[in-house]
Amino acid sequence: MTTLANAKKPPARRRVQGVSSALVALVALVLFNAVTTPNFLTLNTLNINLTQTATIVIVGIGMTFVIATRGIDLSVGSLMAISGALAPVLFLNERLGPNLGVTLSILLPVLAAGLFGAFNGLLVTRFRIQPIIATLVLFIAGRGIAQVISGGALVNFTQPSFTLLGTGRVLGISVQVLLMLALLALAAWALRATLFGRYVIAVGGNADAARLAGVPVTRTKLLVYTLSGLLAGLAGLIVIAVNSSSDSNLVGQNMELDAIAAVAVGGTSLNGGRVTMLGTLLGALFIQLLRYTLLVKGIPDAAALMVKAAIIVGAVALQYRRS
């Protein structure tokens, strides 16, 4: 019987090819903007694109783990909205006080999003519902929950200790960018150096074989959906901290598309078993820079969505061709 230690590892050559493709696409887009977009090669433009990329990467990390197990999570945008709606309720509550209110507004919304992620995982593992259907439940209902929490109204606030999460800087670097890099490094380490990472890759490669080899398949899938929810909750807090307002109708809108596109473009196989966190970073940078490019060129948002969808289709087609 095959043991986990001897389980087949993801093909390094294909992983490198995926990362290389994402890097080539990113460099091509950078060169295009350097030639055609005035003032593109400036620190201000770099800072804008990095901060906009941070939430895509944070959500994309969770999405990478989910997709690595042959799953998908359509609920991340709605979970961001739930987290973003719940936080102001806590830190604007005078009975809690400013310090306790801010602490709880960071911890509880993230935990709540994690619980919703665990609910997704439960539907997938215990009730054996297809991931795309299971997460579609909260894709639809989650934003409704967020609207109920906020009353469907825009909530403006000025809470410096909370907004530091989105606007603060350390040595000139945005706090959200530092969070992104720290989480990315931690996720890459977990995939390469921990038993959990081996479990994720084994489940994505062949769940039945992994189960026979003693891998806790159900628990691993439950954990990756929970992790995806936690990271979506954190991303939701960052978005409202940047804007100093919470709008349950807009927070996290279309984030599931950005995250899936970043993972697919980055080279992680949508069939599971092949994972690259570096690729997810490069894919997210490409998606954000593409959005920036379309914006400065005056392309409407509707066309931008179609371009993103086409990129996902192209990335999937390229993966199948390599396979």
Side-chain angles (χ1 to χ4, degrees), residues 1 125 128 202-203 206-218 221:
M1 182 180 294
T125 58
R128 300 189 180 280
V203 170
N206 189 318
D208 292 333
R211 186 177 286 107
L212 291 173
V215 174
V217 174
T218 297
K221 288 185 177 181

Side-chain angles (χ1 to χ4, degrees), residues 55-56 59 76-77 80 239 252-260:
T55 50
I56 301 176
V59 176
V76 288
M80 287 176 64
V239 169
Q253 190 175 51
N254 296 323
M255 179 55 77
E256 59 283 335
L257 180 60
D258 285 346
I260 294 170

Side-chain angles (χ1 to χ4, degrees), residues 78-252:
S78 296
L79 297 188
M80 287 176 64
I82 291 175
S83 177
L86 184 57
V89 173
L90 295 169
F91 66 68
L92 293 178
N93 190 326
E94 295 180 355
R95 290 178 295 180
L96 294 176
N99 294 329
L100 180 59
V102 169
T103 301
L104 292 178
S105 69
I106 294 174
L107 294 177
L108 293 185
V110 172
L111 290 176
L115 286 175
F116 280 115
F119 172 75
N120 287 333
L122 190 64
L123 292 181
V124 171
T125 58
R126 191 58 57 89
F127 295 96
R128 300 189 180 280
I129 300 174
Q130 288 292 329
I132 193 170
I133 302 299
T135 58
L136 186 64
V137 173
L138 281 175
F139 171 81
I140 298 170
R143 198 162 294 277
I145 294 171
Q147 290 170 349
V148 169
I149 294 172
S150 65
L154 173 68
V155 180
N156 293 305
F157 55 83
T158 53
Q159 180 56 268
S161 54
F162 179 83
T163 54
L164 280 174
L165 186 63
T167 60
R169 290 181 176 277
V170 177
L171 300 177
I173 304 174
S174 172
V175 168
Q176 59 180 300
V177 173
L178 292 174
L179 274 172
M180 173 194 78
L181 294 174
L183 290 170
L184 191 70
L186 181 61
W189 170 80
L191 275 174
R192 298 295 167 212
T194 69
L195 196 58
F196 171 67
R198 283 182 173 270
Y199 286 167
V200 168
I201 295 172
V203 170
N206 189 318
D208 292 333
R211 186 177 286 107
L212 291 173
V215 174
V217 174
T218 297
R219 187 172 65 193
T220 300
K221 288 185 177 181
L222 187 62
L223 283 174
V224 297
Y225 282 98
T226 302
L227 179 61
S228 181
L230 289 169
L231 292 172
L234 176 60
L237 296 185
I238 292 174
V239 169
I240 68 168
V242 169
N243 298 325
S244 294
S245 65
S246 175
D247 187 344
S248 56
N249 298 302
L250 296 178
V251 173

